[in-house]
Amino acid sequence: LYLNMKNYVESEKMHKEVLRIRKNILGTYHPDYVASLNNLSFVFWGSKQFDKTEPLFIEHSNIISVYPNGADTKYEVTDN
């Protein structure tokens, strides 16, 4: 919602909190954690903070690269 309203400050806070919670509860290889990486990266992209976007895309890529069949559909980048 905040991202659609271009309220990047609130959107960033919310997505960082979701990412932290999902990492602590689900772990870094869970599809919801990977989706949260993607969501936060879009917040940074929309606010033109490209230096913060790249590490999230790299982490996403590193996570999905460990699977023998490549990216499972649960891990693909989506535009939420």
Side-chain angles (χ1 to χ4, degrees):
L1 179 63
Y2 291 122
L3 185 57
N4 290 338
M5 294 171 24
K6 298 192 185 312
N7 185 341
Y8 297 111
V9 173
E10 289 302 317
S11 185
E12 180 180 339
K13 286 194 301 191
M14 181 191 68
H15 284 291
K16 280 183 173 180
E17 181 68 7
V18 170
L19 184 67
R20 183 189 66 75
I21 291 169
R22 286 181 171 176
K23 182 177 183 177
N24 290 338
I25 294 174
L26 303 173
T28 57
Y29 289 94
H30 192 278
D32 291 341
Y33 174 77
V34 177
S36 292
L37 281 174
N38 182 60
N39 293 341
L40 182 57
S41 69
F42 277 105
V43 171
F44 290 141
W45 183 269
S47 62
K48 310 234 184 301
Q49 297 181 67
F50 303 117
D51 58 318
K52 293 181 180 180
T53 301
E54 185 178 16
L56 298 176
F57 282 136
I58 291 170
E59 184 177 356
H60 174 274
S61 193
N62 289 338
I63 290 170
I64 65 169
S65 71
V66 301
Y67 295 94
N69 295 327
D72 185 82
T73 55
K74 296 179 296 218
Y75 294 93
E76 291 183 283
V77 174
T78 58
D79 184 9
N80 294 330

Coordinates of all heavy atoms in Angstrom, one line a residue:
L1 N 0.8 -1.2 0.0 CA 0.0 0.0 0.0 C 0.9 1.3 0.0 O 0.7 2.2 -0.8 CB -0.9 0.0 1.2 CG -1.9 1.2 1.4 CD1 -2.8 1.3 0.2 CD2 -2.6 1.1 2.7
Y2 N 1.9 1.3 0.9 CA 2.7 2.5 1.0 C 3.5 2.7 -0.3 O 3.7 3.8 -0.8 CB 3.7 2.4 2.1 CG 3.1 2.4 3.5 CD1 3.3 1.4 4.4 CD2 2.4 3.6 3.9 CE1 2.7 1.5 5.7 CE2 1.8 3.7 5.1 CZ 2.0 2.6 6.0 OH 1.4 2.7 7.3
L3 N 3.9 1.5 -0.9 CA 4.7 1.6 -2.2 C 3.8 2.2 -3.3 O 4.3 3.1 -4.0 CB 5.2 0.2 -2.5 CG 6.1 0.2 -3.8 CD1 7.3 1.1 -3.6 CD2 6.6 -1.2 -4.0
N4 N 2.6 1.7 -3.4 CA 1.7 2.3 -4.4 C 1.4 3.8 -4.2 O 1.1 4.5 -5.1 CB 0.3 1.5 -4.4 CG 0.5 0.1 -4.9 OD1 1.4 -0.2 -5.6 ND2 -0.4 -0.8 -4.5
M5 N 1.5 4.2 -2.9 CA 1.3 5.6 -2.6 C 2.6 6.4 -2.8 O 2.6 7.6 -2.5 CB 0.7 5.8 -1.2 CG -0.7 5.2 -1.0 SD -1.3 5.1 0.7 CE -0.5 6.3 1.6
K6 N 3.6 5.7 -3.1 CA 5.0 6.3 -3.2 C 5.5 6.9 -1.9 O 6.2 7.8 -1.8 CB 5.0 7.4 -4.3 CG 4.7 6.8 -5.7 CD 5.0 7.7 -6.8 CE 4.6 7.2 -8.2 NZ 5.0 5.9 -8.5
N7 N 5.0 6.3 -0.8 CA 5.5 6.6 0.5 C 6.6 5.7 0.8 O 6.4 4.7 1.6 CB 4.3 6.5 1.5 CG 4.7 7.0 2.9 OD1 5.9 7.1 3.2 ND2 3.8 7.3 3.7
Y8 N 7.8 6.0 0.3 CA 8.9 5.0 0.4 C 9.5 4.9 1.8 O 9.9 3.8 2.1 CB 10.0 5.5 -0.6 CG 9.5 5.4 -2.0 CD1 9.3 6.6 -2.8 CD2 9.2 4.2 -2.7 CE1 8.9 6.6 -4.1 CE2 8.8 4.2 -4.0 CZ 8.6 5.3 -4.7 OH 8.2 5.3 -6.0
V9 N 9.4 5.9 2.6 CA 9.9 5.8 3.9 C 9.1 4.8 4.8 O 9.7 3.9 5.4 CB 9.9 7.2 4.6 CG1 10.3 7.1 6.1 CG2 10.8 8.2 3.9
E10 N 7.8 4.9 4.8 CA 7.0 4.0 5.5 C 7.0 2.6 4.9 O 7.1 1.6 5.6 CB 5.5 4.5 5.6 CG 5.3 5.6 6.5 CD 5.8 5.4 7.9 OE1 5.5 4.3 8.4 OE2 6.4 6.3 8.5
S11 N 7.1 2.5 3.6 CA 7.1 1.2 2.9 C 8.5 0.5 3.2 O 8.5 -0.7 3.5 CB 7.0 1.5 1.4 OG 7.0 0.2 0.7
E12 N 9.5 1.3 3.3 CA 10.8 0.7 3.6 C 10.8 0.1 5.0 O 11.3 -1.0 5.3 CB 12.0 1.7 3.5 CG 13.3 1.2 3.8 CD 14.4 2.2 3.7 OE1 14.3 3.2 2.9 OE2 15.5 2.0 4.3
K13 N 10.3 0.9 6.0 CA 10.2 0.4 7.4 C 9.4 -0.9 7.5 O 9.8 -1.8 8.1 CB 9.6 1.5 8.3 CG 10.6 2.7 8.5 CD 10.1 3.5 9.7 CE 8.8 4.2 9.5 NZ 8.5 5.2 10.5
M14 N 8.3 -0.9 6.8 CA 7.4 -2.1 6.9 C 8.0 -3.3 6.3 O 8.1 -4.4 6.9 CB 6.1 -1.8 6.2 CG 5.1 -2.9 6.2 SD 3.7 -2.8 5.2 CE 4.4 -2.9 3.6
H15 N 8.6 -3.1 5.1 CA 9.2 -4.3 4.4 C 10.5 -4.8 5.1 O 10.8 -6.0 5.1 CB 9.5 -3.9 2.9 CG 8.3 -3.9 2.1 ND1 7.6 -5.0 1.8 CD2 7.7 -2.9 1.5 CE1 6.6 -4.7 1.0 NE2 6.6 -3.4 0.8
K16 N 11.2 -3.9 5.7 CA 12.4 -4.3 6.5 C 12.0 -5.1 7.7 O 12.6 -6.1 8.1 CB 13.2 -3.1 7.0 CG 14.1 -2.5 5.9 CD 15.0 -1.4 6.5 CE 16.0 -0.9 5.5 NZ 16.8 0.2 6.1
E17 N 10.9 -4.7 8.4 CA 10.4 -5.5 9.5 C 9.9 -6.8 9.1 O 10.1 -7.8 9.8 CB 9.3 -4.7 10.2 CG 8.7 -5.3 11.4 CD 9.6 -5.4 12.6 OE1 10.8 -4.9 12.6 OE2 9.3 -6.1 13.6
V18 N 9.1 -6.9 8.0 CA 8.7 -8.2 7.5 C 9.8 -9.1 7.1 O 9.8 -10.3 7.5 CB 7.7 -8.0 6.3 CG1 7.4 -9.3 5.6 CG2 6.5 -7.3 6.7
L19 N 10.8 -8.5 6.5 CA 12.0 -9.3 6.1 C 12.7 -9.9 7.4 O 13.1 -11.0 7.4 CB 13.0 -8.5 5.3 CG 14.2 -9.2 4.8 CD1 13.8 -10.2 3.7 CD2 15.2 -8.1 4.2
R20 N 12.9 -9.0 8.4 CA 13.5 -9.5 9.6 C 12.7 -10.6 10.3 O 13.3 -11.6 10.7 CB 13.6 -8.3 10.6 CG 14.4 -8.6 11.9 CD 14.3 -7.5 12.9 NE 12.9 -7.3 13.4 CZ 12.3 -8.1 14.3 NH1 12.9 -9.1 14.7 NH2 11.1 -7.8 14.7
I21 N 11.4 -10.4 10.4 CA 10.6 -11.4 11.0 C 10.6 -12.8 10.2 O 10.8 -13.8 10.8 CB 9.1 -10.9 11.1 CG1 9.1 -9.8 12.2 CG2 8.2 -12.1 11.5 CD1 7.7 -9.1 12.2
R22 N 10.5 -12.7 8.9 CA 10.5 -13.9 8.1 C 11.9 -14.6 8.2 O 11.9 -15.8 8.2 CB 10.1 -13.6 6.7 CG 8.7 -13.3 6.5 CD 8.3 -13.0 5.1 NE 6.8 -13.0 5.0 CZ 6.2 -12.7 3.9 NH1 6.8 -12.4 2.8 NH2 4.9 -12.6 3.9
K23 N 12.9 -13.8 8.2 CA 14.3 -14.4 8.3 C 14.4 -15.2 9.7 O 14.9 -16.3 9.7 CB 15.4 -13.4 8.2 CG 16.8 -13.9 8.3 CD 17.8 -12.8 8.1 CE 19.2 -13.4 8.0 NZ 20.2 -12.3 7.8
N24 N 14.0 -14.5 10.8 CA 14.1 -15.1 12.1 C 13.2 -16.4 12.3 O 13.6 -17.3 12.9 CB 13.8 -14.1 13.2 CG 14.9 -13.0 13.3 OD1 16.0 -13.2 12.9 ND2 14.5 -11.9 13.8
I25 N 12.0 -16.3 11.7 CA 11.0 -17.4 11.9 C 11.2 -18.5 10.9 O 11.1 -19.7 11.2 CB 9.6 -16.8 12.0 CG1 9.5 -16.0 13.2 CG2 8.6 -18.0 12.0 CD1 8.1 -15.2 13.3
L26 N 11.3 -18.1 9.6 CA 11.3 -19.1 8.5 C 12.6 -19.5 8.0 O 12.8 -20.6 7.4 CB 10.4 -18.5 7.3 CG 9.0 -18.0 7.7 CD1 8.4 -17.3 6.5 CD2 8.2 -19.2 8.1
G27 N 13.6 -18.6 8.1 CA 14.9 -18.9 7.6 C 15.1 -18.3 6.2 O 14.1 -17.9 5.6
T28 N 16.3 -18.2 5.8 CA 16.6 -17.5 4.5 C 16.3 -18.3 3.2 O 16.3 -17.7 2.2 CB 18.1 -17.1 4.5 OG1 18.9 -18.3 4.6 CG2 18.5 -16.1 5.5
Y29 N 16.0 -19.6 3.4 CA 15.7 -20.4 2.2 C 14.2 -20.6 2.0 O 13.8 -21.3 1.1 CB 16.4 -21.7 2.2 CG 17.9 -21.5 1.9 CD1 18.8 -21.3 3.0 CD2 18.4 -21.3 0.7 CE1 20.1 -21.1 2.8 CE2 19.8 -21.1 0.4 CZ 20.6 -20.9 1.5 OH 21.9 -20.7 1.3
H30 N 13.4 -19.9 2.8 CA 11.9 -20.1 2.7 C 11.4 -19.1 1.6 O 11.9 -18.0 1.4 CB 11.3 -19.7 4.0 CG 9.9 -20.1 4.1 ND1 8.8 -19.3 3.5 CD2 9.2 -21.2 4.6 CE1 7.7 -19.9 3.7 NE2 7.9 -21.1 4.4
P31 N 10.5 -19.6 0.8 CA 9.9 -18.8 -0.3 C 9.4 -17.4 0.1 O 9.6 -16.4 -0.6 CB 8.8 -19.6 -0.9 CG 9.0 -21.0 -0.4 CD 9.8 -20.9 0.8
D32 N 8.8 -17.3 1.3 CA 8.3 -16.0 1.8 C 9.4 -15.1 2.1 O 9.3 -13.9 1.9 CB 7.4 -16.2 3.0 CG 6.1 -16.9 2.6 OD1 5.7 -16.9 1.4 OD2 5.4 -17.5 3.6
Y33 N 10.6 -15.6 2.6 CA 11.7 -14.7 2.9 C 12.2 -14.2 1.5 O 12.5 -13.0 1.4 CB 12.8 -15.5 3.6 CG 14.1 -14.6 3.8 CD1 14.2 -13.6 4.7 CD2 15.2 -14.9 2.9 CE1 15.3 -12.8 4.8 CE2 16.3 -14.1 3.0 CZ 16.4 -13.1 4.0 OH 17.5 -12.3 4.0
V34 N 12.3 -15.1 0.6 CA 12.8 -14.7 -0.8 C 11.9 -13.6 -1.4 O 12.4 -12.6 -2.0 CB 13.0 -15.9 -1.7 CG1 13.4 -15.5 -3.1 CG2 14.0 -16.8 -1.1
A35 N 10.6 -13.8 -1.2 CA 9.6 -12.8 -1.7 C 9.8 -11.5 -1.0 O 9.7 -10.4 -1.6 CB 8.2 -13.3 -1.5
S36 N 10.1 -11.5 0.3 CA 10.3 -10.3 1.0 C 11.6 -9.5 0.6 O 11.6 -8.3 0.5 CB 10.4 -10.6 2.5 OG 9.2 -11.0 3.0
L37 N 12.6 -10.3 0.2 CA 13.8 -9.7 -0.4 C 13.4 -8.9 -1.6 O 13.8 -7.7 -1.8 CB 14.9 -10.7 -0.8 CG 15.7 -11.3 0.3 CD1 16.6 -12.5 -0.3 CD2 16.7 -10.3 0.9
N38 N 12.6 -9.6 -2.5 CA 12.2 -9.0 -3.7 C 11.4 -7.7 -3.5 O 11.6 -6.7 -4.1 CB 11.4 -10.0 -4.5 CG 11.0 -9.5 -5.8 OD1 11.8 -9.1 -6.7 ND2 9.7 -9.5 -6.1
N39 N 10.4 -7.8 -2.5 CA 9.6 -6.7 -2.2 C 10.4 -5.4 -1.7 O 10.1 -4.3 -2.2 CB 8.5 -7.0 -1.2 CG 7.5 -8.1 -1.7 OD1 7.4 -8.2 -2.9 ND2 6.9 -8.7 -0.8
L40 N 11.3 -5.7 -0.8 CA 12.1 -4.6 -0.3 C 13.0 -4.0 -1.5 O 13.2 -2.8 -1.5 CB 13.0 -5.0 0.8 CG 13.9 -4.0 1.5 CD1 13.0 -2.8 2.0 CD2 14.7 -4.6 2.6
S41 N 13.5 -4.8 -2.3 CA 14.3 -4.3 -3.4 C 13.5 -3.4 -4.3 O 14.0 -2.4 -4.8 CB 14.9 -5.5 -4.2 OG 13.9 -6.2 -5.0
F42 N 12.2 -3.7 -4.5 CA 11.4 -2.8 -5.3 C 11.1 -1.5 -4.6 O 10.9 -0.5 -5.3 CB 10.0 -3.5 -5.7 CG 10.2 -4.4 -6.9 CD1 10.2 -5.8 -6.8 CD2 10.3 -3.8 -8.2 CE1 10.4 -6.6 -7.9 CE2 10.5 -4.6 -9.3 CZ 10.5 -6.0 -9.2
V43 N 11.0 -1.5 -3.3 CA 10.9 -0.2 -2.6 C 12.2 0.6 -2.9 O 12.1 1.8 -3.2 CB 10.8 -0.5 -1.1 CG1 10.8 0.8 -0.3 CG2 9.4 -1.2 -0.8
F44 N 13.3 0.0 -2.7 CA 14.6 0.8 -3.0 C 14.7 1.2 -4.4 O 15.1 2.3 -4.7 CB 15.8 -0.1 -2.6 CG 16.0 -0.3 -1.1 CD1 16.4 -1.5 -0.6 CD2 15.7 0.7 -0.2 CE1 16.6 -1.7 0.7 CE2 15.8 0.5 1.1 CZ 16.3 -0.7 1.6
W45 N 14.2 0.4 -5.3 CA 14.3 0.7 -6.8 C 13.4 1.9 -7.0 O 13.7 2.9 -7.7 CB 13.8 -0.5 -7.6 CG 13.9 -0.3 -9.1 CD1 12.9 0.2 -9.9 CD2 15.0 -0.5 -9.9 NE1 13.3 0.3 -11.2 CE2 14.6 -0.1 -11.2 CE3 16.3 -1.0 -9.7 CZ2 15.5 -0.3 -12.3 CZ3 17.1 -1.1 -10.8 CH2 16.7 -0.7 -12.0
G46 N 12.2 1.9 -6.5 CA 11.2 3.0 -6.7 C 11.7 4.3 -6.1 O 11.3 5.3 -6.6
S47 N 12.4 4.2 -5.0 CA 13.0 5.4 -4.4 C 14.3 5.8 -4.9 O 15.0 6.6 -4.4 CB 13.0 5.3 -2.9 OG 13.8 4.2 -2.5
K48 N 14.8 5.1 -6.0 CA 16.0 5.3 -6.7 C 17.3 5.1 -5.8 O 18.3 5.8 -5.9 CB 16.1 6.8 -7.3 CG 14.8 7.1 -8.1 CD 15.2 7.5 -9.5 CE 14.0 7.9 -10.3 NZ 12.9 6.9 -10.5
Q49 N 17.1 4.2 -4.8 CA 18.3 3.8 -3.9 C 18.9 2.6 -4.5 O 18.9 1.5 -3.9 CB 17.8 3.6 -2.5 CG 17.2 4.8 -1.9 CD 16.8 4.5 -0.5 OE1 17.6 4.3 0.4 NE2 15.4 4.5 -0.2
F50 N 19.5 2.7 -5.7 CA 20.0 1.5 -6.4 C 21.1 0.8 -5.7 O 21.3 -0.4 -5.9 CB 20.4 2.0 -7.8 CG 19.3 2.6 -8.6 CD1 19.4 3.9 -9.0 CD2 18.1 1.9 -8.9 CE1 18.4 4.6 -9.7 CE2 17.1 2.5 -9.6 CZ 17.2 3.9 -10.0
D51 N 21.9 1.6 -4.9 CA 22.9 0.9 -4.1 C 22.4 -0.1 -3.1 O 23.1 -1.0 -2.7 CB 23.8 2.0 -3.4 CG 23.0 2.9 -2.5 OD1 21.9 3.3 -2.9 OD2 23.5 3.2 -1.4
K52 N 21.2 0.1 -2.7 CA 20.6 -0.8 -1.7 C 19.8 -1.9 -2.4 O 19.5 -3.0 -1.9 CB 19.6 0.0 -0.8 CG 20.3 0.9 0.1 CD 19.3 1.6 1.0 CE 20.0 2.6 2.0 NZ 19.0 3.2 2.9
T53 N 19.4 -1.7 -3.7 CA 18.7 -2.7 -4.5 C 19.6 -3.8 -4.9 O 19.2 -5.0 -4.7 CB 18.1 -2.0 -5.7 OG1 17.3 -0.9 -5.3 CG2 17.3 -3.0 -6.6
E54 N 20.8 -3.5 -5.3 CA 21.6 -4.6 -5.9 C 22.0 -5.7 -4.9 O 21.9 -6.9 -5.3 CB 22.9 -4.0 -6.4 CG 23.8 -5.0 -7.1 CD 25.0 -4.4 -7.7 OE1 25.4 -3.2 -7.3 OE2 25.7 -5.1 -8.5
P55 N 22.3 -5.4 -3.6 CA 22.6 -6.5 -2.7 C 21.5 -7.4 -2.5 O 21.7 -8.7 -2.3 CB 23.0 -5.8 -1.4 CG 23.4 -4.4 -1.8 CD 22.6 -4.1 -3.0
L56 N 20.3 -6.9 -2.5 CA 19.1 -7.8 -2.3 C 18.9 -8.7 -3.5 O 18.5 -9.9 -3.4 CB 17.8 -6.9 -2.1 CG 17.9 -6.1 -0.8 CD1 16.6 -5.2 -0.7 CD2 18.0 -6.9 0.4
F57 N 19.1 -8.2 -4.7 CA 19.0 -9.0 -5.9 C 20.1 -10.1 -5.9 O 19.8 -11.2 -6.3 CB 19.1 -8.2 -7.2 CG 17.8 -7.4 -7.6 CD1 17.9 -6.1 -8.0 CD2 16.6 -8.1 -7.5 CE1 16.7 -5.4 -8.3 CE2 15.4 -7.4 -7.9 CZ 15.5 -6.1 -8.3
I58 N 21.3 -9.7 -5.5 CA 22.4 -10.7 -5.4 C 22.0 -11.8 -4.4 O 22.2 -13.0 -4.6 CB 23.7 -10.0 -5.1 CG1 24.1 -9.1 -6.3 CG2 24.8 -11.0 -4.7 CD1 25.3 -8.2 -6.0
E59 N 21.5 -11.4 -3.2 CA 21.2 -12.4 -2.2 C 20.1 -13.3 -2.7 O 20.1 -14.5 -2.6 CB 20.7 -11.7 -0.9 CG 20.4 -12.7 0.2 CD 20.0 -12.1 1.5 OE1 20.0 -10.8 1.6 OE2 19.6 -12.8 2.4
H60 N 19.1 -12.8 -3.4 CA 18.0 -13.5 -4.0 C 18.6 -14.6 -5.0 O 18.3 -15.7 -4.9 CB 17.0 -12.6 -4.7 CG 16.0 -13.3 -5.5 ND1 16.2 -13.7 -6.8 CD2 14.7 -13.7 -5.1 CE1 15.1 -14.3 -7.2 NE2 14.2 -14.3 -6.2
S61 N 19.5 -14.1 -5.8 CA 20.1 -14.9 -6.8 C 20.9 -16.0 -6.2 O 20.9 -17.2 -6.6 CB 21.0 -14.1 -7.7 OG 21.4 -14.8 -8.9
N62 N 21.7 -15.7 -5.1 CA 22.5 -16.7 -4.4 C 21.6 -17.8 -3.8 O 22.0 -19.0 -3.8 CB 23.3 -16.1 -3.4 CG 24.5 -15.3 -4.0 OD1 24.9 -15.5 -5.1 ND2 25.0 -14.3 -3.2
I63 N 20.5 -17.4 -3.2 CA 19.6 -18.4 -2.6 C 19.0 -19.3 -3.6 O 19.0 -20.5 -3.4 CB 18.4 -17.6 -1.8 CG1 19.0 -16.9 -0.6 CG2 17.3 -18.6 -1.4 CD1 18.0 -16.0 0.1
I64 N 18.5 -18.8 -4.7 CA 17.9 -19.7 -5.7 C 18.9 -20.5 -6.5 O 18.5 -21.6 -7.0 CB 16.9 -19.0 -6.7 CG1 17.7 -18.0 -7.5 CG2 15.8 -18.3 -5.9 CD1 16.8 -17.4 -8.7
S65 N 20.1 -20.1 -6.5 CA 21.2 -20.9 -7.2 C 21.5 -22.2 -6.6 O 22.1 -23.1 -7.2 CB 22.4 -20.0 -7.4 OG 23.1 -19.9 -6.2
V66 N 21.2 -22.4 -5.3 CA 21.5 -23.7 -4.6 C 20.6 -24.8 -5.0 O 20.9 -26.0 -4.7 CB 21.6 -23.5 -3.1 CG1 22.6 -22.5 -2.7 CG2 20.2 -23.2 -2.5
Y67 N 19.5 -24.6 -5.7 CA 18.6 -25.6 -6.1 C 19.0 -26.3 -7.4 O 19.3 -25.6 -8.3 CB 17.2 -25.0 -6.2 CG 16.7 -24.6 -4.8 CD1 16.9 -23.2 -4.4 CD2 16.2 -25.5 -3.9 CE1 16.5 -22.8 -3.2 CE2 15.8 -25.0 -2.6 CZ 16.0 -23.7 -2.3 OH 15.6 -23.3 -1.0
P68 N 19.0 -27.6 -7.4 CA 19.5 -28.3 -8.6 C 18.8 -28.0 -9.9 O 19.4 -28.0 -11.0 CB 19.3 -29.8 -8.2 CG 18.5 -29.8 -7.0 CD 18.5 -28.5 -6.4
N69 N 17.5 -27.7 -9.8 CA 16.7 -27.4 -11.0 C 16.6 -25.9 -11.3 O 15.8 -25.4 -12.1 CB 15.3 -28.0 -11.0 CG 15.4 -29.5 -10.9 OD1 16.3 -30.1 -11.5 ND2 14.5 -30.1 -10.2
G70 N 17.5 -25.1 -10.7 CA 17.4 -23.7 -10.9 C 16.3 -23.1 -10.1 O 15.9 -23.6 -9.0
A71 N 15.8 -22.0 -10.5 CA 14.7 -21.3 -9.8 C 13.4 -22.0 -9.9 O 12.9 -22.3 -10.9 CB 14.6 -19.9 -10.3
D72 N 12.9 -22.4 -8.7 CA 11.6 -23.0 -8.6 C 10.6 -21.8 -8.7 O 10.9 -20.7 -8.4 CB 11.4 -23.6 -7.3 CG 10.1 -24.4 -7.1 OD1 10.0 -25.5 -7.6 OD2 9.2 -23.8 -6.5
T73 N 9.4 -22.1 -9.2 CA 8.4 -21.0 -9.4 C 8.1 -20.2 -8.1 O 7.8 -19.1 -8.1 CB 7.1 -21.5 -10.0 OG1 6.6 -22.5 -9.2 CG2 7.3 -22.0 -11.4
K74 N 8.3 -20.9 -6.9 CA 8.1 -20.2 -5.7 C 9.1 -19.1 -5.4 O 8.9 -18.2 -4.6 CB 8.2 -21.2 -4.5 CG 7.1 -22.3 -4.5 CD 7.3 -23.2 -3.3 CE 8.6 -23.9 -3.5 NZ 8.7 -25.3 -3.1
Y75 N 10.3 -19.2 -6.1 CA 11.4 -18.3 -5.8 C 11.6 -17.2 -6.9 O 12.5 -16.4 -6.9 CB 12.7 -19.0 -5.7 CG 12.7 -19.9 -4.4 CD1 12.3 -21.2 -4.5 CD2 13.0 -19.4 -3.2 CE1 12.2 -22.0 -3.4 CE2 13.0 -20.2 -2.1 CZ 12.6 -21.5 -2.1 OH 12.6 -22.2 -1.0
E76 N 10.8 -17.3 -8.0 CA 11.0 -16.3 -9.0 C 10.6 -14.9 -8.6 O 9.8 -14.7 -7.8 CB 10.1 -16.7 -10.2 CG 10.6 -18.0 -10.9 CD 9.8 -18.3 -12.1 OE1 8.7 -18.8 -11.9 OE2 10.3 -18.1 -13.2
V77 N 11.3 -13.9 -9.2 CA 11.1 -12.5 -8.9 C 9.7 -12.2 -9.4 O 9.4 -12.5 -10.6 CB 12.2 -11.6 -9.6 CG1 11.8 -10.2 -9.4 CG2 13.5 -12.0 -9.0
T78 N 9.0 -11.5 -8.6 CA 7.6 -11.1 -9.0 C 7.5 -9.6 -8.7 O 8.2 -9.0 -7.9 CB 6.5 -11.8 -8.2 OG1 6.8 -11.6 -6.8 CG2 6.5 -13.3 -8.5
D79 N 6.6 -8.9 -9.4 CA 6.4 -7.5 -9.2 C 5.1 -7.4 -8.4 O 4.0 -7.5 -8.9 CB 6.2 -6.8 -10.5 CG 6.0 -5.3 -10.4 OD1 6.2 -4.8 -9.3 OD2 5.7 -4.7 -11.4
N80 N 5.3 -7.3 -7.1 CA 4.1 -7.2 -6.2 C 3.7 -5.8 -6.0 O 3.8 -5.0 -5.3 CB 4.5 -7.8 -4.8 CG 4.8 -9.3 -4.9 OD1 4.2 -9.9 -5.8 ND2 5.6 -9.8 -4.1

